[in-house]
Amino acid sequence: MDSRNSHCGRWPLRTFIYSSSALLLVSLALQSSNLLNVAFSGFGQKARGNMKSFGQKPLDEIRVERGDQAHTSAKDNPDVWMSVPRQDMPLISAISQAGRDKDWARAKYEFEQSSKSVPNLYNAAMGAALKCREYTEGVTIYNRLLAANITKTEITYTNAIKLFAKVGHLDQVKILSREACERITPTISLFSAMIDAAADFGLVENACAVLDDMLLARVTPDVVAWGSAINACKNADPPKYASAARFLLKSMIQAGVEPNHIVFSNVLAAHHGAKLQHLQQVRADMMRLAIKPTTPLVEIYVFAVCGLHKDTIFTRNVFEQVLHAMRRLWK
């Protein structure tokens, strides 16, 4: 194994104890709350209820909106592009465009017309499946790549990790993460996919471990990577990991990465039912950083303050009354 990757993909770890990164303090903070030594069998439950709809968007969607995608598209990957049969080049573009258009039927049709002989075709099809939210179909494409003995690239691993996380196959996510780190030197794209997968399962320690691996590999986490780690705190079991969410937010700011409204949405959601003083602290951080209190942010804040777990007629009435008051006060 490449020594540069020796710390990567440590999914089986139940504890989060590292000595060479500033994120060691996260483990200490978690230890102080008796939140370490948690078996993986107890995780895998995504956040439920009203808070879920206000969480982190898919990584690619956010990067596309910001115009600073950190990944290389399947059709442009320089590692294998030169070996693509000429007749397949327009098909790769067509598959990718169909994905952007959220047209899975067309993407699948274009894929079936191809030679299916190079990774780019499978990568493009898996990417389209992600964009179209056809996760099971995307897993099928990956399995066909395996059956055809096609070489896996970083994009292959990145897309596959995302797909298996979306269909709830944690064991496969672990296997792919370890395998990827053994075979290639991960970039921010692959690291981010691992964090996002951990967040989907609410695995806070693992999300933090990948952040730690990024720092060890001298890869700088961006706002989406930090936000996804905080998203894991939200999906775990609010407010159990509220202190971890606040510490990650603090670490992010200290690292010179400015949080956006999506990050604060996840921080607030992780405080669902937390003490009011902690919510007020997060709100103060928002105001200090001039984060505009959008309607979704205010709604999440109110849900967190009220500790509402179910969307019943009663809780909705309480929510609407408090939200109306908050909109007038939070200006």
Side-chain angles (χ1 to χ4, degrees):
M1 185 190 301
D2 190 326
S3 61
R4 291 172 297 180
N5 301 342
S6 60
H7 296 283
C8 184
R10 296 172 288 189
W11 284 85
L13 293 177
R14 292 183 179 183
T15 59
F16 178 39
I17 303 175
Y18 305 105
S19 60
S20 56
S21 166
L23 286 181
L24 171 64
L25 294 176
V26 176
S27 70
L28 297 177
L30 292 173
Q31 278 184 310
S32 66
S33 301
N34 296 318
L35 299 179
L36 287 180
N37 302 315
V38 182
F40 270 84
S41 60
F43 284 86
Q45 297 295 322
K46 294 186 179 180
R48 295 182 176 88
N50 300 303
M51 311 301 292
K52 187 175 180 180
S53 62
F54 298 124
Q56 175 91 352
K57 294 181 181 179
L59 289 166
D60 286 343
E61 284 187 22
I62 298 171
R63 288 196 171 105
V64 167
E65 288 175 5
R66 286 174 13 197
D68 63 347
Q69 299 94 309
H71 66 280
T72 303
S73 66
K75 70 183 183 67
D76 294 329
N77 182 10
D79 295 335
V80 291
W81 178 247
M82 296 304 294
S83 63
V84 175
R86 185 178 298 273
Q87 66 271 19
D88 284 331
M89 291 183 182
L91 291 176
I92 293 173
S93 297
I95 294 169
S96 298
Q97 184 59 53
R100 288 190 290 271
D101 294 339
K102 306 295 190 295
D103 188 345
W104 172 245
R106 179 157 56 91
K108 186 176 181 180
Y109 173 81
E110 300 291 357
F111 174 73
E112 297 298 349
Q113 305 310 304
S114 72
S115 67
K116 307 176 191 67
S117 61
V118 291
N120 305 65
L121 291 161
Y122 294 87
N123 293 344
M126 286 191 287
L130 281 165
K131 289 182 174 64
C132 297
R133 300 188 179 184
E134 295 286 348
Y135 306 127
T136 301
E137 293 275 7
V139 167
T140 299
I141 296 294
Y142 173 76
N143 289 333
R144 291 175 66 177
L145 176 145
L146 292 182
N149 198 28
I150 301 295
T151 301
K152 301 174 192 175
T153 68
E154 183 180 20
I155 297 173
T156 308
Y157 286 113
T158 299
N159 287 343
I161 287 170
K162 293 178 183 178
L163 287 165
F164 279 104
K166 293 301 182 186
V167 297
H169 291 180
L170 178 58
D171 288 343
Q172 193 62 36
V173 171
K174 295 189 225 177
I175 291 170
L176 285 166
S177 297
R178 289 195 296 267
E179 181 182 315
C181 292
E182 290 172 357
R183 296 187 178 184
I184 62 178
T185 300
T187 66
I188 191 171
S189 179
L190 181 55
F191 278 128
S192 294
M194 293 178 187
I195 297 174
D196 211 33
D200 278 347
F201 290 100
L203 296 172
V204 178
E205 290 89 350
N206 296 98
C208 291
V210 180
L211 277 176
D212 189 66
D213 290 334
M214 293 179 75
L215 296 173
L216 289 171
R218 299 180 183 273
V219 177
T220 303
D222 63 3
V223 64
V224 180
W226 284 106
S228 289
I230 294 172
N231 191 36
C233 300
K234 180 205 76 177
N235 288 342
D237 187 15
K240 195 173 183 179
Y241 286 89
S243 60
R246 292 196 307 278
F247 189 86
L248 285 168
L249 175 65
K250 179 181 178 180
S251 299
M252 173 185 183
I253 295 171
Q254 289 178 340
V257 181
E258 184 176 347
N260 55 26
H261 69 283
I262 297 172
V263 170
F264 273 104
S265 294
N266 290 332
V267 175
L268 288 171
H271 284 70
H272 183 226
K275 292 182 179 179
L276 182 59
Q277 66 187 72
H278 296 318
L279 280 161
Q280 290 174 331
Q281 178 183 337
V282 176
R283 179 190 169 192
D285 288 336
M286 288 180 57
M287 298 180 70
R288 178 170 56 85
L289 295 170
I291 300 296
K292 183 179 179 180
T294 62
T295 296
L297 269 177
V298 175
E299 290 180 350
I300 295 171
Y301 185 85
V302 172
F303 268 113
V305 170
C306 296
L308 302 178
H309 291 273
K310 297 181 180 180
D311 189 4
T312 64
I313 294 177
F314 173 75
T315 58
R316 175 55 57 176
N317 288 338
V318 172
F319 170 77
E320 293 295 345
Q321 292 177 36
V322 178
L323 178 59
H324 179 70
M326 285 296 301
R327 281 174 175 164
R328 288 184 299 169
L329 293 175
W330 197 346
K331 292 182 179 179

